[in-house]
Amino acid sequence: MPTILAVSSSPRRNGNSELLLQSFTRGLAEEGCESNTIRLNSLKIRPCQACDRCAATGECIVKDDMQGLYPQVASASALVIATPIYFGSVSAQLKLFIDRFQCWWNAKYVLNSPKVSQNEKRPGFFISVGGLKNEKHHANALDVVKVFFHIINFHYDNCLCFQDIDQKGAIKSHPDALEKAYEAGRRFARENLFNGTRE
Ligand SMILES: Cc1cc2nc3c(=O)[nH]c(=O)nc-3n(C[C@H](O)[C@H](O)[C@H](O)COP(=O)(O)O)c2cc1C
């Protein structure tokens, strides 16, 4: 049974990006996939200190909640990441999380011992919501997440980006958007996670 790690990176509980993520994971469940959602804002995650100690070991020496997240990413069949757009990019919570994978960068490029094998082609999906009508903000955020997927050897599948949605819960006035996220979750599961092995 594939288990998908869903990463919610808004400080708003049940905010727009988190509601879209919930629709996406409902779609996954409909297709028989389990998912586990983590809320980065509830965790204690320090910024990468660039100490470079991970260049020798591939492990991060900062003892905080990231230590519990590395094994979850390492064992996830797939990743789906949701973020609000902040200042034309991903949320600070998400950027902190991403930067702490510098140890995986070192594991892959310096130690030649990636934490996830490239051959596995584990898929990654991205969801963003912004209050403005500005495509560039989403393109920028998507670039950050694509770099992340590439470094950790996940393979970017697709994204859903919604503009002009600002107030907390405003996404509920866009049932079409929530439905799109649900259908995207179903498609993602069907096309990526069973490899034709399901009866
Ligand atoms: C600090 C901050 C910065 C923001 N910067 C942008 C921005 O650059 N572009 C944009 O489209 N929306 C921006 N917004 C609006 C949020 O992206 C928008 O409210 C979104 O719906 C929040 O999603 P959430 O409910 O999942 O947190 C910003 C909001 C905050 C609080």
Side-chain angles (χ1 to χ4, degrees):
M1 164 84 70
T3 301
I4 292 90
L5 187 63
V7 179
S8 176
S9 72
S10 171
R12 284 177 174 169
R13 188 174 281 274
N14 294 320
N16 299 318
S17 55
E18 197 164 287
L19 291 174
L20 287 161
L21 187 63
Q22 286 168 13
S23 293
F24 189 93
T25 56
R26 264 198 312 113
L28 293 173
E30 182 65 28
E31 296 294 327
C33 293
E34 277 181 3
S35 62
N36 180 24
T37 301
I38 53 169
R39 297 194 70 256
L40 295 179
N41 196 56
S42 309
L43 301 174
K44 295 220 168 0
I45 303 178
R46 299 227 324 127
C48 172
Q49 299 298 298
C51 66
D52 232 13
R53 297 274 288 276
C54 57
T57 61
E59 309 294 332
C60 182
I61 60 154
V62 179
K63 299 291 176 242
D64 61 9
D65 287 338
M66 276 307 292
Q67 297 303 337
L69 298 185
Y70 293 124
Q72 291 192 55
V73 177
S75 63
S77 310
L79 271 179
V80 51
I81 296 178
T83 189
I85 298 292
Y86 278 3
F87 283 80
S89 187
V90 300
S91 70
Q93 287 83 345
L94 181 54
K95 191 60 166 55
L96 281 181
F97 170 78
I98 287 175
D99 287 356
R100 288 289 297 283
F101 280 83
Q102 178 65 0
C103 49
W104 283 36
W105 186 93
N106 271 312
K108 178 177 174 179
Y109 293 107
V110 176
L111 302 173
N112 203 20
S113 177
K115 303 286 185 181
V116 167
S117 159
Q118 203 149 20
N119 303 331
E120 292 182 42
K121 289 213 182 312
R122 298 191 206 175
F125 196 93
F126 178 59
I127 296 170
S128 59
V129 190
L132 304 176
K133 283 187 190 165
N134 191 323
E135 278 176 25
K136 278 191 189 164
H137 292 183
H138 296 268
N140 198 33
L142 177 60
D143 272 351
V144 172
V145 168
K146 279 183 175 174
V147 170
F148 174 58
F149 284 148
H150 177 73
I151 300 296
I152 66 169
N153 280 346
F154 276 65
H155 133 90
Y156 168 69
D157 170 79
N158 213 335
C159 66
L160 280 178
C161 303
F162 297 98
Q163 303 179 48
D164 201 16
I165 295 173
D166 205 8
Q167 300 307 313
K168 183 177 175 186
I171 197 77
K172 288 186 206 153
S173 312
H174 297 265
D176 50 324
L178 294 168
E179 180 66 19
K180 257 189 188 169
Y182 170 75
E183 288 301 336
R186 292 194 65 180
R187 187 226 26 101
F188 182 81
R190 281 197 307 269
E191 292 184 9
N192 291 297
L193 296 168
F194 290 102
N195 303 320
T197 54
R198 203 163 47 155
E199 287 177 11

